[in-house]
Amino acid sequence: MSIIILGIESSCDDTSAAIAKDCKILANIVATQTIHEKYGGVVPELASRDHQKNIIPVVEEALKTAGVDKKEISAIAFARAPGLMGSLLVGCSFSKAFALGLNVPLIEANHLQSHILAHFIQNKKGDKNFPRFPFLCLLVSGGHTQIIRVDAHLKMEILGKSLDDAAGEAFDKAGKVFGLTYPAGHMIDKLAMGGNPKAFNFPHPDIPGLDFSFSGLKTSLLYLVKDEIKKDKDFIEKNKADLCASYQNIIVEVLMKKLKLAAAITGIKEIAIAGGVSANSFLQKTLKDEEKKSEWKTFIPQPEYCTDNAAMIAIIGYYKYINKEFCEQSVVPLARV
Ligand code: KG4
Ligand code: ZN
């Protein structure tokens, strides 16, 4: 008999519900909060309030789209950590209450591991183009930048991580400097297409091993812009495409340098990317170019599964259901892991 999982994601500013039937996604509904745009970043209290407004309509829509009755749900999986406490609480409380009401098991999901498991969503019938274990995953999101060795669906080890800002944060902070709305990664990606990636030089962060640092990059951008604006107040407007292309180029260079190092150290050639920044077209192109040069086999999530979504929560829920990894009603969310 098929396993039907309701996945709930509310760790930051997207309220999402998805229905998985085994490894297939029948519905993945995302309500993206736009209220934060004018503040240049996520305002935790507003995010929590919007999740409260959105959670029931999003779940109802997911069930309707999937053509699934709530009585058919086998278990409810929710993002427990990491994230904003007020946001996580909404998804956690809702899931606990709904699971209790339906008398079905509750499954807690790690948001970051879930991003990686998005690679195991079966799209078409018989589609089995999944990464083989062990593989490396570059997880690049708004809150995290990590290189992870994945040995099994639920067995992972962090090999390197950012010591300060995440790659997505570096995009978003630059967006603020360029006068773009939050989150800016997608817009920088678009503007960069018309720019010269070598127009401006940014220093490479000198971090040993597989760790990253992106905070210096943002500071060097700020200094550059401050100096140039003194000479020409329209500097940003006149150079926006070149600035975006050059800044994006250095981020991708840094990510690829560490990914290549991780592949060399581990000898692993199955390479995946995941998280919001994995939607970046230049990162995707650079990864595909490297695939040819290094005989890697690379994996990029479908666009809707790069940024936050509940489909990935439902999929990790499926694997935990098979393993009978359920949690108690006393479970609480965790802002950090
Ligand atoms: O995974 P995600 O949706 O949320 C977190 O878990 O943080 O990632 C959001 C991040 C934001 O920083 C956003 O600017 C970035 O992903 N992002 C992109 C692109 N699309 C989203 N960054 C670069 N290029 C993109 N195309
Ligand atoms: Zn995420």
Side-chain angles (χ1 to χ4, degrees):
M1 214 175 79
S2 290
I3 295 161
I4 299 208
I5 307 285
L6 166 65
I8 303 286
E9 160 61 37
S10 72
S11 61
C12 191
D13 57 344
D14 292 304
T15 321
S16 181
I19 304 287
K21 185 175 182 182
D22 299 330
C23 280
K24 272 181 249 129
I25 297 300
L26 304 183
N28 179 43
I29 310 297
V30 185
T32 300
Q33 304 177 2
T34 51
I35 191 161
H36 310 286
E37 282 174 2
K38 59 177 177 239
Y39 298 100
V42 178
V43 183
E45 180 55 34
L46 297 180
S48 176
R49 266 189 246 165
D50 256 24
H51 284 307
Q52 290 174 48
K53 260 191 264 164
N54 293 339
I55 189 99
I56 291 174
V58 156
V59 170
E60 277 181 341
E61 201 180 328
L63 286 166
K64 199 170 142 205
T65 307
V68 163
D69 187 274
K70 59 183 189 294
K71 291 194 197 82
E72 295 175 80
I73 294 171
S74 314
I76 299 176
F78 70 97
R80 179 190 181 198
L84 298 171
M85 185 46 91
S87 292
L88 291 166
L89 262 170
V90 178
C92 176
S93 311
F94 173 86
S95 302
K96 280 160 72 166
F98 205 24
L100 196 65
L102 295 175
N103 195 24
V104 294
L106 190 61
I107 297 168
E108 53 111 6
N110 174 298
H111 176 88
L112 305 175
Q113 291 182 355
S114 306
H115 268 300
I116 298 172
L117 283 230
H119 283 284
F120 296 93
I121 292 172
Q122 197 174 317
N123 300 308
K124 291 173 238 97
K125 209 165 181 263
D127 171 11
K128 293 232 168 69
N129 188 26
F130 306 141
R132 280 177 312 167
F133 303 116
F135 68 91
L136 294 179
C137 186
L138 172 71
L139 174 69
V140 268
S141 72
H144 295 82
T145 299
Q146 299 177 340
I147 294 179
I148 299 166
R149 180 191 160 109
V150 188
D151 284 295
H153 292 109
L154 302 173
K155 187 166 179 264
M156 308 179 189
E157 183 193 350
I158 299 168
L159 303 182
K161 61 179 188 315
S162 178
L163 304 176
D164 42 54
D165 292 354
E169 214 174 336
F171 274 105
D172 296 335
K173 286 181 174 171
K176 225 171 172 176
V177 175
F178 300 151
L180 305 173
T181 49
Y182 173 88
H186 175 68
M187 201 59 208
I188 292 177
D189 186 353
K190 259 186 146 171
L191 288 164
M193 287 172 189
N196 173 7
K198 301 283 175 207
F200 299 100
N201 276 326
F202 295 104
H204 259 269
D206 186 19
I207 306 295
L210 296 176
D211 289 335
F212 302 87
S213 167
F214 287 104
S215 64
L217 207 54
K218 170 205 64 194
T219 312
S220 63
L221 173 72
L222 268 175
Y223 280 127
L224 169 88
V225 167
K226 232 168 125 186
D227 284 349
E228 293 296 332
I229 280 183
K230 277 186 208 151
K231 295 179 232 160
D232 178 1
K233 66 174 178 38
D234 297 325
F235 170 74
I236 292 179
E237 273 319 306
K238 287 181 187 160
N239 295 280
K240 211 177 246 178
D242 284 349
L243 281 166
C244 288
S246 303
Y247 191 78
Q248 173 180 271
N249 185 57
I250 177 95
I251 292 178
V252 170
E253 265 182 28
V254 170
L255 294 173
M256 288 303 297
K257 184 178 155 196
K258 297 290 176 155
L259 195 51
K260 280 193 250 177
L261 182 60
I265 292 170
T266 59
I268 295 172
K269 286 178 179 288
E270 300 263 319
I271 314 280
I273 57 174
V277 181
S278 70
N280 185 269
S281 61
F282 186 59
L283 175 61
Q284 293 188 357
K285 183 189 174 301
T286 313
L287 188 76
K288 285 294 167 196
D289 289 347
E290 195 58 39
E291 177 169 55
K292 287 177 211 137
K293 275 191 255 162
S294 306
E295 295 177 347
W296 286 359
K297 192 158 184 334
T298 65
F299 300 87
I300 297 170
Q302 279 189 49
E304 67 268 37
Y305 303 138
C306 288
T307 44
D308 286 350
N309 65 87
M312 65 189 198
I313 306 291
I315 288 300
I316 202 166
Y318 167 77
Y319 285 103
K320 287 196 161 189
Y321 187 93
I322 291 173
N323 275 3
K324 295 198 169 35
E325 285 187 38
F326 305 131
C327 64
E328 301 291 331
Q329 274 286 332
S330 55
V331 64
V332 288
L334 300 169
R336 291 173 171 274
V337 278

